[in-house]
PDB file of all heavy atoms in Angstrom:
ATOM      1  N   PRO A 858      92.064 100.855  93.398  1.00 94.00           N
ATOM      2  CA  PRO A 858      93.375 100.338  93.814  1.00 94.00           C
ATOM      3  C   PRO A 858      93.988 101.202  94.903  1.00 94.00           C
ATOM      4  O   PRO A 858      93.695 102.401  95.004  1.00 94.00           O
ATOM      5  CB  PRO A 858      94.195 100.407  92.522  1.00 94.00           C
ATOM      6  CG  PRO A 858      93.576 101.523  91.750  1.00 94.00           C
ATOM      7  CD  PRO A 858      92.104 101.472  92.062  1.00 94.00           C
ATOM      8  N   LEU A 859      94.835 100.619  95.721  1.00 97.00           N
ATOM      9  CA  LEU A 859      95.619 101.366  96.699  1.00 97.00           C
ATOM     10  C   LEU A 859      96.911 101.803  96.021  1.00 97.00           C
ATOM     11  O   LEU A 859      97.657 100.978  95.486  1.00 97.00           O
ATOM     12  CB  LEU A 859      95.927 100.495  97.916  1.00 97.00           C
ATOM     13  CG  LEU A 859      94.726  99.988  98.707  1.00 97.00           C
ATOM     14  CD1 LEU A 859      95.193  99.148  99.886  1.00 97.00           C
ATOM     15  CD2 LEU A 859      93.853 101.146  99.196  1.00 97.00           C
ATOM     16  N   ARG A 860      97.185 103.114  96.057  1.00 97.00           N
ATOM     17  CA  ARG A 860      98.335 103.631  95.316  1.00 97.00           C
ATOM     18  C   ARG A 860      99.152 104.603  96.165  1.00 97.00           C
ATOM     19  O   ARG A 860      98.618 105.549  96.732  1.00 97.00           O
ATOM     20  CB  ARG A 860      97.861 104.350  94.047  1.00 97.00           C
ATOM     21  CG  ARG A 860      97.195 103.437  93.028  1.00 97.00           C
ATOM     22  CD  ARG A 860      96.616 104.241  91.864  1.00 97.00           C
ATOM     23  NE  ARG A 860      95.567 105.150  92.308  1.00 97.00           N
ATOM     24  CZ  ARG A 860      95.190 106.249  91.630  1.00 97.00           C
ATOM     25  NH1 ARG A 860      95.803 106.579  90.511  1.00 97.00           N
ATOM     26  NH2 ARG A 860      94.220 107.011  92.099  1.00 97.00           N
ATOM     27  N   MET A 861     100.446 104.336  96.239  1.00 98.00           N
ATOM     28  CA  MET A 861     101.419 105.252  96.830  1.00 98.00           C
ATOM     29  C   MET A 861     102.243 105.796  95.664  1.00 98.00           C
ATOM     30  O   MET A 861     102.909 105.034  94.947  1.00 98.00           O
ATOM     31  CB  MET A 861     102.321 104.523  97.830  1.00 98.00           C
ATOM     32  CG  MET A 861     103.341 105.421  98.505  1.00 98.00           C
ATOM     33  SD  MET A 861     102.630 106.504  99.768  1.00 98.00           S
ATOM     34  CE  MET A 861     102.455 105.357 101.143  1.00 98.00           C
ATOM     35  N   ARG A 862     102.196 107.111  95.449  1.00 98.00           N
ATOM     36  CA  ARG A 862     102.835 107.706  94.289  1.00 98.00           C
ATOM     37  C   ARG A 862     103.747 108.858  94.701  1.00 98.00           C
ATOM     38  O   ARG A 862     103.418 109.649  95.586  1.00 98.00           O
ATOM     39  CB  ARG A 862     101.776 108.237  93.310  1.00 98.00           C
ATOM     40  CG  ARG A 862     100.872 107.148  92.723  1.00 98.00           C
ATOM     41  CD  ARG A 862     101.652 106.242  91.786  1.00 98.00           C
ATOM     42  NE  ARG A 862     100.821 105.269  91.093  1.00 98.00           N
ATOM     43  CZ  ARG A 862     100.680 104.000  91.447  1.00 98.00           C
ATOM     44  NH1 ARG A 862     101.311 103.558  92.534  1.00 98.00           N
ATOM     45  NH2 ARG A 862      99.937 103.176  90.738  1.00 98.00           N
ATOM     46  N   GLY A 863     104.884 108.948  94.035  1.00 97.00           N
ATOM     47  CA  GLY A 863     105.811 110.039  94.269  1.00 97.00           C
ATOM     48  C   GLY A 863     106.190 110.712  92.971  1.00 97.00           C
ATOM     49  O   GLY A 863     106.109 110.118  91.893  1.00 97.00           O
ATOM     50  N   ALA A 864     106.605 111.963  93.077  1.00 95.00           N
ATOM     51  CA  ALA A 864     107.116 112.714  91.931  1.00 95.00           C
ATOM     52  C   ALA A 864     108.269 113.562  92.429  1.00 95.00           C
ATOM     53  O   ALA A 864     108.169 114.173  93.499  1.00 95.00           O
ATOM     54  CB  ALA A 864     106.022 113.595  91.327  1.00 95.00           C
ATOM     55  N   THR A 865     109.370 113.600  91.676  1.00 94.00           N
ATOM     56  CA  THR A 865     110.532 114.317  92.200  1.00 94.00           C
ATOM     57  C   THR A 865     111.612 114.503  91.151  1.00 94.00           C
ATOM     58  O   THR A 865     111.619 113.838  90.109  1.00 94.00           O
ATOM     59  CB  THR A 865     111.118 113.556  93.404  1.00 94.00           C
ATOM     60  OG1 THR A 865     111.977 114.420  94.153  1.00 94.00           O
ATOM     61  CG2 THR A 865     111.899 112.327  92.959  1.00 94.00           C
ATOM     62  N   ASN A 866     112.534 115.424  91.451  1.00 90.00           N
ATOM     63  CA  ASN A 866     113.820 115.543  90.764  1.00 90.00           C
ATOM     64  C   ASN A 866     114.876 114.870  91.622  1.00 90.00           C
ATOM     65  O   ASN A 866     114.668 114.706  92.829  1.00 90.00           O
ATOM     66  CB  ASN A 866     114.211 117.008  90.582  1.00 90.00           C
ATOM     67  CG  ASN A 866     113.153 117.828  89.869  1.00 90.00           C
ATOM     68  OD1 ASN A 866     112.688 118.832  90.393  1.00 90.00           O
ATOM     69  ND2 ASN A 866     112.772 117.401  88.689  1.00 90.00           N
ATOM     70  N   PRO A 867     116.023 114.505  91.071  1.00 91.00           N
ATOM     71  CA  PRO A 867     117.136 114.061  91.908  1.00 91.00           C
ATOM     72  C   PRO A 867     117.612 115.199  92.810  1.00 91.00           C
ATOM     73  O   PRO A 867     117.364 116.374  92.544  1.00 91.00           O
ATOM     74  CB  PRO A 867     118.218 113.692  90.874  1.00 91.00           C
ATOM     75  CG  PRO A 867     117.486 113.497  89.590  1.00 91.00           C
ATOM     76  CD  PRO A 867     116.330 114.441  89.631  1.00 91.00           C
ATOM     77  N   GLY A 868     118.318 114.843  93.886  1.00 87.00           N
ATOM     78  CA  GLY A 868     118.833 115.834  94.819  1.00 87.00           C
ATOM     79  C   GLY A 868     117.961 115.929  96.050  1.00 87.00           C
ATOM     80  O   GLY A 868     116.883 115.349  96.122  1.00 87.00           O
ATOM     81  N   GLY A 869     118.429 116.672  97.056  1.00 87.00           N
ATOM     82  CA  GLY A 869     117.652 116.837  98.273  1.00 87.00           C
ATOM     83  C   GLY A 869     118.066 115.846  99.352  1.00 87.00           C
ATOM     84  O   GLY A 869     118.828 114.910  99.114  1.00 87.00           O
ATOM     85  N   ILE A 870     117.519 116.019 100.550  1.00 88.00           N
ATOM     86  CA  ILE A 870     117.927 115.194 101.683  1.00 88.00           C
ATOM     87  C   ILE A 870     117.562 113.726 101.499  1.00 88.00           C
ATOM     88  O   ILE A 870     118.178 112.847 102.096  1.00 88.00           O
ATOM     89  CB  ILE A 870     117.300 115.717 102.991  1.00 88.00           C
ATOM     90  CG1 ILE A 870     115.765 115.692 102.906  1.00 88.00           C
ATOM     91  CG2 ILE A 870     117.786 117.105 103.324  1.00 88.00           C
ATOM     92  CD1 ILE A 870     115.084 115.995 104.222  1.00 88.00           C
ATOM     93  N   GLY A 871     116.550 113.448 100.680  1.00 91.00           N
ATOM     94  CA  GLY A 871     116.126 112.072 100.478  1.00 91.00           C
ATOM     95  C   GLY A 871     116.669 111.431  99.215  1.00 91.00           C
ATOM     96  O   GLY A 871     116.233 110.332  98.845  1.00 91.00           O
ATOM     97  N   HIS A 872     117.620 112.082  98.563  1.00 91.00           N
ATOM     98  CA  HIS A 872     118.137 111.569  97.294  1.00 91.00           C
ATOM     99  C   HIS A 872     118.606 110.118  97.410  1.00 91.00           C
ATOM    100  O   HIS A 872     118.270 109.278  96.569  1.00 91.00           O
ATOM    101  CB  HIS A 872     119.299 112.454  96.820  1.00 91.00           C
ATOM    102  CG  HIS A 872     119.972 111.974  95.564  1.00 91.00           C
ATOM    103  ND1 HIS A 872     119.698 112.512  94.327  1.00 91.00           N
ATOM    104  CD2 HIS A 872     120.901 111.003  95.354  1.00 91.00           C
ATOM    105  CE1 HIS A 872     120.437 111.890  93.409  1.00 91.00           C
ATOM    106  NE2 HIS A 872     121.166 110.980  94.015  1.00 91.00           N
ATOM    107  N   GLY A 873     119.367 109.829  98.460  1.00 89.00           N
ATOM    108  CA  GLY A 873     119.960 108.502  98.595  1.00 89.00           C
ATOM    109  C   GLY A 873     118.925 107.397  98.715  1.00 89.00           C
ATOM    110  O   GLY A 873     118.980 106.399  98.003  1.00 89.00           O
ATOM    111  N   TRP A 874     117.970 107.557  99.640  1.00 93.00           N
ATOM    112  CA  TRP A 874     117.011 106.463  99.850  1.00 93.00           C
ATOM    113  C   TRP A 874     116.040 106.330  98.674  1.00 93.00           C
ATOM    114  O   TRP A 874     115.630 105.205  98.327  1.00 93.00           O
ATOM    115  CB  TRP A 874     116.272 106.623 101.174  1.00 93.00           C
ATOM    116  CG  TRP A 874     115.195 107.657 101.249  1.00 93.00           C
ATOM    117  CD1 TRP A 874     115.296 108.911 101.768  1.00 93.00           C
ATOM    118  CD2 TRP A 874     113.829 107.520 100.828  1.00 93.00           C
ATOM    119  NE1 TRP A 874     114.087 109.567 101.686  1.00 93.00           N
ATOM    120  CE2 TRP A 874     113.168 108.736 101.121  1.00 93.00           C
ATOM    121  CE3 TRP A 874     113.101 106.492 100.235  1.00 93.00           C
ATOM    122  CZ2 TRP A 874     111.818 108.951 100.829  1.00 93.00           C
ATOM    123  CZ3 TRP A 874     111.746 106.693  99.950  1.00 93.00           C
ATOM    124  CH2 TRP A 874     111.123 107.911 100.238  1.00 93.00           C
ATOM    125  N   VAL A 875     115.678 107.456  98.037  1.00 94.00           N
ATOM    126  CA  VAL A 875     114.790 107.374  96.873  1.00 94.00           C
ATOM    127  C   VAL A 875     115.499 106.663  95.717  1.00 94.00           C
ATOM    128  O   VAL A 875     114.908 105.813  95.045  1.00 94.00           O
ATOM    129  CB  VAL A 875     114.329 108.784  96.445  1.00 94.00           C
ATOM    130  CG1 VAL A 875     113.549 108.712  95.127  1.00 94.00           C
ATOM    131  CG2 VAL A 875     113.457 109.403  97.530  1.00 94.00           C
ATOM    132  N   LYS A 876     116.764 106.989  95.525  1.00 93.00           N
ATOM    133  CA  LYS A 876     117.533 106.324  94.469  1.00 93.00           C
ATOM    134  C   LYS A 876     117.626 104.823  94.734  1.00 93.00           C
ATOM    135  O   LYS A 876     117.449 104.006  93.825  1.00 93.00           O
ATOM    136  CB  LYS A 876     118.926 106.941  94.371  1.00 93.00           C
ATOM    137  CG  LYS A 876     119.794 106.322  93.284  1.00 93.00           C
ATOM    138  CD  LYS A 876     121.192 106.932  93.285  1.00 93.00           C
ATOM    139  CE  LYS A 876     122.070 106.225  92.263  1.00 93.00           C
ATOM    140  NZ  LYS A 876     123.475 106.718  92.304  1.00 93.00           N
ATOM    141  N   ARG A 877     117.903 104.443  95.978  1.00 93.00           N
ATOM    142  CA  ARG A 877     118.010 103.021  96.305  1.00 93.00           C
ATOM    143  C   ARG A 877     116.670 102.302  96.128  1.00 93.00           C
ATOM    144  O   ARG A 877     116.631 101.169  95.648  1.00 93.00           O
ATOM    145  CB  ARG A 877     118.509 102.839  97.745  1.00 93.00           C
ATOM    146  CG  ARG A 877     119.963 103.217  97.954  1.00 93.00           C
ATOM    147  CD  ARG A 877     120.459 102.777  99.319  1.00 93.00           C
ATOM    148  NE  ARG A 877     119.755 103.455 100.407  1.00 93.00           N
ATOM    149  CZ  ARG A 877     120.125 104.618 100.912  1.00 93.00           C
ATOM    150  NH1 ARG A 877     121.174 105.244 100.439  1.00 93.00           N
ATOM    151  NH2 ARG A 877     119.445 105.156 101.917  1.00 93.00           N
ATOM    152  N   ARG A 878     115.586 102.953  96.485  1.00 96.00           N
ATOM    153  CA  ARG A 878     114.277 102.291  96.483  1.00 96.00           C
ATOM    154  C   ARG A 878     113.675 102.185  95.085  1.00 96.00           C
ATOM    155  O   ARG A 878     112.974 101.213  94.783  1.00 96.00           O
ATOM    156  CB  ARG A 878     113.328 103.047  97.405  1.00 96.00           C
ATOM    157  CG  ARG A 878     112.005 102.317  97.647  1.00 96.00           C
ATOM    158  CD  ARG A 878     111.178 102.996  98.721  1.00 96.00           C
ATOM    159  NE  ARG A 878     109.984 102.219  99.032  1.00 96.00           N
ATOM    160  CZ  ARG A 878     109.935 101.239  99.916  1.00 96.00           C
ATOM    161  NH1 ARG A 878     111.007 100.917 100.606  1.00 96.00           N
ATOM    162  NH2 ARG A 878     108.819 100.565 100.128  1.00 96.00           N
ATOM    163  N   PHE A 879     113.947 103.172  94.221  1.00 96.00           N
ATOM    164  CA  PHE A 879     113.268 103.218  92.932  1.00 96.00           C
ATOM    165  C   PHE A 879     114.185 103.111  91.712  1.00 96.00           C
ATOM    166  O   PHE A 879     113.728 102.688  90.651  1.00 96.00           O
ATOM    167  CB  PHE A 879     112.475 104.525  92.802  1.00 96.00           C
ATOM    168  CG  PHE A 879     111.279 104.628  93.697  1.00 96.00           C
ATOM    169  CD1 PHE A 879     111.365 105.272  94.917  1.00 96.00           C
ATOM    170  CD2 PHE A 879     110.062 104.090  93.321  1.00 96.00           C
ATOM    171  CE1 PHE A 879     110.263 105.389  95.749  1.00 96.00           C
ATOM    172  CE2 PHE A 879     108.954 104.186  94.142  1.00 96.00           C
ATOM    173  CZ  PHE A 879     109.056 104.829  95.362  1.00 96.00           C
ATOM    174  N   ILE A 880     115.443 103.521  91.826  1.00 93.00           N
ATOM    175  CA  ILE A 880     116.280 103.705  90.644  1.00 93.00           C
ATOM    176  C   ILE A 880     117.322 102.589  90.470  1.00 93.00           C
ATOM    177  O   ILE A 880     117.429 101.989  89.405  1.00 93.00           O
ATOM    178  CB  ILE A 880     116.998 105.064  90.684  1.00 93.00           C
ATOM    179  CG1 ILE A 880     116.013 106.200  91.013  1.00 93.00           C
ATOM    180  CG2 ILE A 880     117.715 105.326  89.363  1.00 93.00           C
ATOM    181  CD1 ILE A 880     114.904 106.385  90.004  1.00 93.00           C
TER     182      ILE A 880
END
Side-chain angles (χ1 to χ4, degrees):
L859 298 180
R860 295 174 297 158
M861 181 75 79
R862 297 291 186 261
T865 197
N866 305 124
I870 60 171
H872 176 100
W874 76 261
V875 173
K876 181 183 176 184
R877 290 190 296 272
R878 189 172 186 87
F879 291 95
I880 311 298

